[in-house]
Amino acid sequence: MAHVDFPPCRLVSWPEIDRWSDLIAEKVRSASWNPQVIVGLTRGGWVPSRMLADRLGTKHLAALRAQHWGVTATPSGSAELTEELATRLDQKRVLVVDDITDTGQSLQLAVRHVADRGALEVRSATYLHISHSTYMPTYFAEEVARDAWRWFVFPWNYWEDLRTLAGKVRASDGMPAKEVQRELKARCLLDVPLSHVERALAPL
Ligand code: ADE
């Protein structure tokens, strides 16, 4: 389902991100748990980790580089951590954050890595959790049924996704932007303004 050229997409808005951040922060707080360190998986978990650090008042924020999805809806083989954490996490309570658990592999690897760095307790959080994921985060804002799978176009990936998908639906270089816009909607359920399609099609 994630291997299709024209994934059904869902645009995610900033108000949703705010709401999901509030929801997760509330779940963490009501578990009477507060992380001393937040580790955000890059790139998808970078913004979410910052949002949660702000809400939970966590000053120590670290990034862990994970790679699984090459470009939009295209897995790059199996998940891997491509850079290790520079810091030790001895005796720390650590929250590992990503935007979504889809296969669950990246988060699982990250949690294991953080434990190997000496953490006392590791919990994890994602905004969205797809029910087919082999790994369930400790906290998530919304569960997505596996047959409701979508490629979620997060605000921090908007232009990258649009460039990739516009490039795929464009049958030829001369295809007018208006037609590309129509194809994006028909094939990918992606309803975006014409000016955005034009921008996405322009060379970088
Ligand atoms: N990263 C992994 N799975 C994803 C999905 N379904 N949507 C957006 N980003 C993802």
Side-chain angles (χ1 to χ4, degrees):
M1 98 193 21
H3 301 252
V4 292
D5 260 351
F6 306 109
C9 293
R10 208 194 102 193
L11 276 171
V12 176
S13 68
W14 282 113
E16 279 176 300
I17 295 303
D18 253 333
R19 191 161 49 78
W20 292 340
S21 303
D22 285 344
L23 240 162
I24 292 172
E26 192 43 46
K27 287 185 184 183
V28 173
R29 247 185 261 110
S30 61
S32 302
W33 192 75
N34 69 317
Q36 295 157 301
V37 184
I38 293 185
V39 171
L41 299 199
T42 68
R43 296 174 296 154
W46 213 355
V47 177
S49 62
R50 185 65 187 88
M51 302 290 270
L52 290 177
D54 184 28
R55 280 161 174 80
L56 295 170
T58 311
K59 297 288 187 290
H60 187 162
L61 183 59
L64 177 57
R65 188 162 178 228
Q67 280 184 307
H68 190 197
W69 300 82
V71 291
T72 310
T74 314
S76 60
S78 51
E80 52 177 338
L81 302 179
T82 45
E83 279 165 28
E84 307 216 315
L85 276 174
T87 43
R88 292 284 312 172
L89 297 165
D90 293 320
Q91 298 306 308
K92 299 279 200 259
R93 293 183 301 275
V94 184
L95 182 66
V96 180
V97 178
D98 205 353
D99 48 6
I100 183 167
T101 29
D102 191 330
T103 68
Q105 285 180 33
S106 309
L107 196 63
Q108 187 165 19
L109 283 177
V111 164
R112 205 176 300 147
H113 179 65
V114 165
D116 288 346
R117 302 297 293 171
L120 172 72
E121 193 185 357
V122 191
R123 297 190 185 182
S124 57
T126 60
Y127 289 142
L128 299 169
H129 170 60
I130 302 195
S131 60
H132 62 199
S133 168
T134 53
Y135 187 83
M136 185 184 270
T138 321
Y139 308 104
F140 54 87
E142 280 190 16
E143 177 157 7
V144 178
R146 64 172 307 166
D147 54 7
W149 184 92
R150 289 277 185 279
W151 182 259
F152 292 88
V153 179
F154 294 105
W156 42 88
N157 223 60
Y158 180 80
W159 292 103
E160 181 176 314
D161 286 341
L162 204 51
R163 278 195 299 271
T164 309
L165 296 170
K168 282 185 180 174
V169 300
R170 181 164 61 165
S172 65
D173 280 357
M175 189 170 175
K178 185 98 198 122
E179 223 167 290
V180 174
Q181 183 193 30
R182 208 176 319 121
E183 288 297 310
L184 281 172
K185 193 169 173 182
R187 292 173 181 240
C188 304
L189 313 176
L190 204 50
D191 195 359
V192 294
L194 182 60
S195 62
H196 289 192
V197 177
E198 286 165 347
R199 221 203 292 179
L201 291 173
L204 285 177

